[in-house]
Amino acid sequence: MSEGGPARAPRAAGRDAAAALRSVVVLAGGVGAARFLSGVVQCIAPEALTAIVNTGDDRVFYGVHVSPDLDIVTYTLAGRIDPERGFGLAGDRFTLIERLRALGHETWFRLGDADFANCLHRTLRLAEGAGLDEIADELRRDHGLGFRILPMSNDPCATRVLLEGGRSVHFEEYLVRDGAPADVCAVDLCEAERASPAPGVLEAIAGADLILVAPSNPIVSIGPIRSVPAIGRALDAATCPIVAVSPIVGGLPIKGPAHTLMRACGLEVSARGVAALYRDWIDGFVFDARDAQARASIEALGLAAEVLDTLMVDAAASKRVAEAAIALGKRLR
Ligand code: GDP
């Protein structure tokens, strides 16, 4: 990351800002991304949208391959997410997990029965030789969604968190089992750094006429996507505008450990801190009115800025945030 000077080479200018977007890519984590995508699908045709989703949180639990972010996006957009937990399926039962608990297994990752069946489907299909991308598409179609959901990679990409004292834990262990403690030294993305993009990812980025970065955790949701070397290069080479939405609102994340992880990575926990982290590869930044005082310093990073209430409390709010990001992107074309 560098400070001062223009953020990145200007985009090819002269395209018609009013022209309909034919291909929009959204880089996505889980909860924040799903809320944002709920807005994007109200603004553009489903066939114009591709979500490229973080798989750094993936892990095997109880013998099945769980892809938390792919499933949060799929369940939320299908209107089936458990609203209380923010993951899993609404109305799901926990017979399986309770039985495992009674038999003495560790059950800190609460997978519901229908959720388990989806993950078992993923596991069985992987054993048959299917790619994670094909399986994400099967689950996407099964949930009646019309837009494309791609994992960032079909390769193992586990994000690990290094804790003081030298312990290294998988991100889900850090977040769910241990409750996201503050004693983080570093985040280890070395598996993502060795991974290849899933089929279709590079083509989607190269063919996009707008790329949006969801208000997702910059370190453990967007970080892994960007760390897949060929994806990082494709984003650097993208000729369309790239607009990010800040997950930091009023100096803190809405939910989750973004502040702890940003701090551990030596970053300022603020909208400006996220903008500075992304500035080399984005053109525009949408952030919350609670952080409006940061506007000049964000523009000084060489970024076009848009300020509004970014709390996506319902479908209408999600639509407003998506509209603002898309409008900024169109202005930058
Ligand atoms: P996770 O993998 O489930 O943690 O999901 P993400 O990485 O996609 O989302 C986590 C981030 O979303 C957190 O840093 C939150 O601050 C952010 N977030 C969640 N809801 C909102 C919202 O309504 N507005 C904004 N601006 N950010 C949000």
Side-chain angles (χ1 to χ4, degrees):
M1 188 203 344
S2 56
E3 300 249 341
R8 67 171 193 152
R11 308 298 85 221
R15 276 178 281 206
D16 180 1
L21 293 165
R22 280 171 295 116
S23 180
V24 175
V25 162
V26 178
L27 306 187
V31 174
R35 288 182 182 158
F36 181 64
L37 282 163
S38 307
V40 176
V41 295
Q42 298 178 65
C43 302
I44 61 168
E47 57 276 14
L49 175 62
T50 301
I52 297 175
V53 182
N54 170 45
T55 56
D57 298 4
D58 286 27
R59 185 185 184 280
V60 172
F61 289 98
Y62 323 118
V64 295
H65 184 117
V66 183
S67 292
D69 286 353
L70 282 168
D71 289 343
I72 286 171
V73 166
T74 303
Y75 298 167
T76 304
L77 274 289
R80 297 190 57 195
I81 198 83
D82 179 340
E84 253 102 77
R85 296 189 301 153
F87 62 91
L89 289 158
D92 211 351
R93 290 165 197 247
F94 295 88
T95 314
L96 192 133
I97 205 97
E98 289 308 334
R99 191 70 204 115
L100 287 173
R101 191 168 63 89
L103 289 167
H105 293 270
E106 269 192 22
T107 53
W108 50 265
F109 196 86
R110 301 268 306 162
L111 206 53
D113 296 346
D115 201 3
F116 184 93
N118 290 336
C119 296
L120 179 57
H121 168 74
R122 178 180 291 118
T123 309
L124 295 171
R125 293 282 292 126
L126 284 169
E128 285 171 10
L132 203 54
D133 63 314
E134 294 172 74
I135 305 160
D137 198 57
E138 290 164 6
L139 289 168
R140 189 267 307 164
R141 275 188 277 121
D142 175 71
H143 285 76
L145 299 176
F147 69 97
R148 201 142 70 117
I149 300 177
L150 287 176
M152 65 190 203
S153 176
N154 283 355
D155 301 335
C157 287
T159 296
R160 299 192 67 84
V161 179
L162 308 182
L163 301 165
E164 277 166 26
R167 224 155 49 91
S168 159
V169 293
H170 185 281
F171 178 70
E172 289 298 332
E173 294 164 359
Y174 168 76
L175 182 73
V176 183
R177 186 191 64 194
D178 302 343
D183 61 338
V184 177
C185 302
V187 173
D188 176 359
L189 301 177
C190 73
E191 286 198 4
E193 286 162 4
R194 285 196 294 264
S196 299
V201 166
L202 296 183
E203 294 79 357
I205 292 172
D209 39 25
L210 175 61
I211 297 173
L212 300 171
V213 184
S216 288
N217 188 312
I219 308 298
V220 293
S221 291
I222 304 304
I225 301 176
R226 175 89 213 156
S227 293
V228 175
I231 299 182
R233 286 195 295 274
L235 291 168
D236 290 340
T239 55
C240 68
I242 305 182
V243 172
V245 183
S246 178
I248 300 293
V249 174
L252 280 176
I254 306 295
K255 184 175 175 285
H259 53 311
T260 304
L261 301 177
M262 286 181 75
R263 227 171 263 137
C265 295
L267 301 167
E268 176 188 298
V269 183
S270 65
R272 187 191 172 281
V274 178
L277 176 65
Y278 293 166
R279 74 176 296 262
D280 288 339
W281 56 280
I282 67 169
D283 309 289
F285 194 66
V286 176
F287 59 103
D288 197 88
R290 292 159 191 80
D291 305 303
Q293 80 292 342
R295 181 174 200 131
S297 68
I298 286 170
E299 286 174 345
L301 294 170
L303 301 174
E306 185 62 49
V307 179
L308 80 159
D309 180 355
T310 66
L311 274 194
M312 297 177 286
V313 289
D314 55 23
S318 291
K319 185 178 181 202
R320 276 195 302 277
V321 177
E323 273 170 351
I326 291 170
L328 180 55
K330 282 185 165 181
R331 282 208 300 281
L332 291 168
R333 290 171 91 200

